[in-house]
Amino acid sequence: MENKMKDMLLPIGSVVLLEGGTRKTVIMGVLQFDAKNQEKVYDYLGVPYPEGYLGPGSTYLFNHEHITEVYQRGYEDDERERFMQAVEQVYKTVDEAVEGQDNK
């Protein structure tokens, strides 16, 4: 799971094409909640490329499996590496808790 998450979650600034899309999307957030459904977490928050944020209604939530092409990966450095290690630890903790519930 740890390496899978690290390899899967693209960095902020990545430019992608989504399923059924005709325009590119730039990722401006990762691991985002839907304001209307706080129980659902999405992999990404995106905006249209090249315009970017155009105000309310110009952002959209999507998951990694909806990406059909990656045009450009965003910036990656040691800070992002530490962030991804923290994300991996959270997922590991959640997986262990779920496994513990399944074994009861």
Side-chain angles (χ1 to χ4, degrees):
M1 170 62 114
E2 293 177 16
N3 289 335
K4 180 182 174 190
M5 178 55 63
K6 183 176 179 180
D7 293 339
M8 182 187 83
L9 197 60
L10 293 168
I12 292 174
S14 296
V15 180
V16 300
L17 184 66
L18 301 178
E19 283 178 347
T22 57
R23 301 190 58 219
K24 296 173 187 150
T25 296
V26 64
I27 295 170
M28 67 177 262
V30 296
L31 302 175
Q32 301 289 308
F33 287 96
D34 183 345
K36 296 177 185 172
N37 180 4
Q38 292 286 320
E39 295 178 12
K40 175 84 171 133
V41 178
Y42 290 86
D43 295 331
Y44 305 107
L45 172 70
V47 293
Y49 177 86
E51 299 92 330
Y53 184 73
L54 298 170
S58 69
T59 63
Y60 34 94
L61 298 163
F62 59 98
N63 288 317
H64 193 80
E65 64 265 17
H66 299 117
I67 297 172
T68 58
E69 188 165 351
V70 177
Y71 292 99
Q72 179 69 44
R73 286 183 67 90
Y75 180 68
E76 298 177 80
D77 64 1
D78 291 341
E79 188 172 2
R80 181 175 190 276
E81 180 65 29
R82 289 189 301 275
F83 171 73
M84 290 307 301
Q85 289 171 354
V87 167
E88 290 168 6
Q89 186 58 46
V90 168
Y91 274 90
K92 182 178 178 182
T93 301
V94 169
D95 284 345
E96 289 171 356
V98 169
E99 286 176 16
Q101 291 295 323
D102 290 344
N103 292 330
K104 287 186 177 181

